[in-house]
Amino acid sequence: MGRFAIAGLVLAVVLASSPVYAQAEPQGPKSVAALAAQLSPAVVNIGSTTHVPGGTPFPEFPEGSPLGDMFDHLNPNEGKGKGPMQEATSLGSGFIISADGYIVTNNHVIEGADEIEIYLTDGRRLPAKLAGHDDKTDLAVLKIESPTPLPFVQFGDSDSAQVGDWVMAIGNPFGLGGSVTLGIVSARNRDIEAGPYDNFIQTDASINQGNSGGPLFDMYGKVVGINTAIIARGGSSLGIGFAVPGNLASPVVRQLTEFGETRRGWLGVGIQEVTDDIALSLDRPNTNGAMVVDVDPAGPSIGVLLEGDVILQFDGKTVARMRDLPRIVAETAVGRAVPVKVLRNGSEEDVDITLGRLEVPGDTAMVAGTDAPAPAMADTAPAVGLDELLGLGVAPLNDAARAEFGIDAAVNGIIITEVTDGSDAYEKGMIPGLLITEVNQKAVSSVEEIEALVTEASTAKRPVVLFKVTDPAGSSRFIAVKLG
């Protein structure tokens, strides 16, 4: 026992004289100190000031009260309207993209600001003017004047930033300034319902309040994203942040810099998602694409795209989901002739469309169909035969039905008068008052035509029937209903 104890003691002495942490080469991820030092001078802190109504709290007396007359001269707000203006300040981040002083940030960082100041890493504090902003992508471009050229950074190819790649955020969290955090791309193509063109890069690089508008760099020092949003508790990051991809931001920034406004492409069609049932009705192996539900008669697609077309590719880019199309169209230059691949009557066709310009405030490059509110039930008797197969009752449209459902005089079709509770048609949003205009992409003008096409589908053992329906106001969409 003694020998073992002595041996153990000797071993402990040997270990103590040879530290286990001593290594010939540094271990762990490579330091980004040199890269951070190189990029930091192009990252700025942004302070914005907004004048808002304020005032010193003071009791209000009923009109005509003698107390009011007595204390009026003591009211610190007297003569200043409803209350003196106070300053509300906010802090954010941004980055310089040109030597002559153009700066990119988030629109929400400077929105409504009366004064904007830029804090440079060399200690200077310069006033900034708003060159342009875009609500849809939450981007803004500022301009500062400097007697000397400024350090700047460039956009990289955000599509090359893959899940698992290292990224670095530099910004002004909590007003601390010059903070560097490191993480990876956690996910891509995130839709957080912040706008019509959502396609965020998700990262676990720490992003907190004040980081908004700051750059997300790849390891080559190129900007692959603009830090915009976080999932937070109490204002602190929970490790999930979102950045606008550089490839989405770059054309917007270029337009804001050059024109002071965006100039997005416009296709002029209404679209809807290709659901599993719609794909099944079209014999498609997947739900790729965006289905055209209407074509603006004043738009660039009139005479080229048809209702019922499924847009599969736009300008050589695959439309994997409906929401991809508005973003792709918006990024395309106005006036360009663009190749478009569509599925039409079961066959793929190639067409060319010269894009218009999206100019109306509040519009998007695409407008998806919306669900109509449920109108009251009609007294028209349903046709026989469709109830068992689909849970639907339909009838010819007459003046009484137009009056009852408020159907526009220009809207025509076969009216749905009854929908069986719990049926697939009911679950899919078929309601009395909707008008059927197509069945399996064939126009219908009578109850008999609908019955014939539904019977044909049932005999052919097709699992679903595709209806084009129009609401009383004239908005259309496609609904695929399973056969009973």
Side-chain angles (χ1 to χ4, degrees), residues 241-285:
F242 301 96
V244 177
N247 287 4
L248 175 61
S250 182
V252 174
V253 168
R254 185 167 57 250
Q255 291 171 12
L256 294 178
T257 302
E258 185 175 355
F259 307 114
E261 62 182 2
T262 55
R263 298 189 175 183
R264 293 187 170 96
W266 178 52
L267 197 55
V269 298
I271 58 172
Q272 74 172 69
E273 181 182 2
V274 179
T275 63
D276 290 334
D277 286 340
I278 289 177
L280 194 60
S281 73
L282 299 174
D283 293 324
R284 295 291 295 170

Side-chain angles (χ1 to χ4, degrees), residues 436-481:
I436 297 174
T437 58
E438 290 183 10
V439 177
N440 286 336
Q441 297 191 307
K442 295 179 181 178
V444 293
S445 58
S446 69
V447 172
E448 290 74 23
E449 288 176 340
I450 295 176
E451 291 177 326
L453 288 169
V454 170
T455 301
E456 178 185 307
S458 178
T459 302
K461 299 190 182 303
R462 297 185 65 172
V464 293
V465 175
L466 183 64
F467 291 93
K468 183 182 179 184
V469 298
T470 303
D471 68 19
S475 297
S476 300
R477 67 186 185 276
F478 289 89
I479 299 177
V481 180

Side-chain angles (χ1 to χ4, degrees), residues 202-227:
Q202 179 184 321
T203 179
D204 67 350
S206 292
I207 297 173
N208 290 284
Q209 289 182 345
N211 271 112
S212 287
L216 187 70
F217 292 106
D218 63 16
M219 293 297 98
Y220 297 97
K222 296 296 180 69
V223 178
V224 292
I226 296 96
N227 301 318

Side-chain angles (χ1 to χ4, degrees), residues 22-308:
Q23 301 290 331
E25 297 291 337
Q27 304 297 301
K30 184 178 179 181
S31 172
V32 296
L35 185 61
Q38 180 183 358
L39 298 173
S40 290
V43 181
V44 301
N45 299 338
I46 299 175
S48 62
T49 303
T50 304
H51 294 95
V52 297
T56 303
F58 193 78
E60 292 187 7
F61 301 100
E63 187 175 352
S65 169
L67 291 177
D69 296 334
M70 292 175 58
F71 286 97
D72 271 351
H73 68 286
L74 299 176
N75 188 347
N77 304 321
E78 184 66 23
K80 300 179 181 178
K82 294 184 178 179
M85 301 301 287
Q86 294 184 335
E87 290 188 350
T89 59
S90 63
L91 297 173
S93 306
F95 54 99
I96 306 171
I97 58 169
S98 66
D100 60 348
Y102 281 99
I103 295 170
V104 175
T105 187
N106 281 143
N107 181 56
H108 74 258
V109 170
I110 52 82
E111 188 172 18
D114 298 309
E115 299 173 6
I116 305 171
E117 288 193 317
I118 305 299
Y119 301 81
L120 303 177
T121 56
D122 62 11
R124 285 185 291 170
R125 177 172 162 177
L126 300 175
K129 293 183 179 179
L130 179 63
H133 68 99
D134 178 45
D135 295 335
K136 294 182 176 67
T137 54
D138 194 17
L139 294 174
V141 175
L142 310 176
K143 182 67 167 65
I144 58 174
E145 301 297 335
S146 171
T148 58
L150 295 165
F152 64 93
V153 291
Q154 296 176 314
F155 283 105
D157 180 11
S158 60
D159 289 342
S160 67
Q162 301 300 309
V163 174
D165 283 351
W166 288 104
V167 284
M168 178 171 61
I170 304 179
N172 183 30
F174 304 112
L176 297 173
S179 292
V180 178
T181 56
L182 191 67
I184 62 169
V185 175
S186 304
R188 293 175 50 87
N189 306 315
R190 288 298 200 207
D191 180 4
I192 62 173
E193 299 184 357
Y197 309 121
D198 279 15
N199 193 34
F200 288 99
I201 294 173
Q202 179 184 321
T203 179
D204 67 350
S206 292
I207 297 173
N208 290 284
Q209 289 182 345
N211 271 112
S212 287
L216 187 70
F217 292 106
D218 63 16
M219 293 297 98
Y220 297 97
K222 296 296 180 69
V223 178
V224 292
I226 296 96
N227 301 318
T228 298
I230 59 174
I231 293 180
R233 180 180 293 122
S236 299
S237 172
L238 295 180
I240 299 178
F242 301 96
V244 177
N247 287 4
L248 175 61
S250 182
V252 174
V253 168
R254 185 167 57 250
Q255 291 171 12
L256 294 178
T257 302
E258 185 175 355
F259 307 114
E261 62 182 2
T262 55
R263 298 189 175 183
R264 293 187 170 96
W266 178 52
L267 197 55
V269 298
I271 58 172
Q272 74 172 69
E273 181 182 2
V274 179
T275 63
D276 290 334
D277 286 340
I278 289 177
L280 194 60
S281 73
L282 299 174
D283 293 324
R284 295 291 295 170
N286 52 51
T287 58
N288 289 1
M291 183 168 245
V292 177
V293 294
D294 56 64
V295 182
D296 190 325
S301 297
I302 190 70
V304 183
L305 293 179
L306 304 176
E307 296 176 3

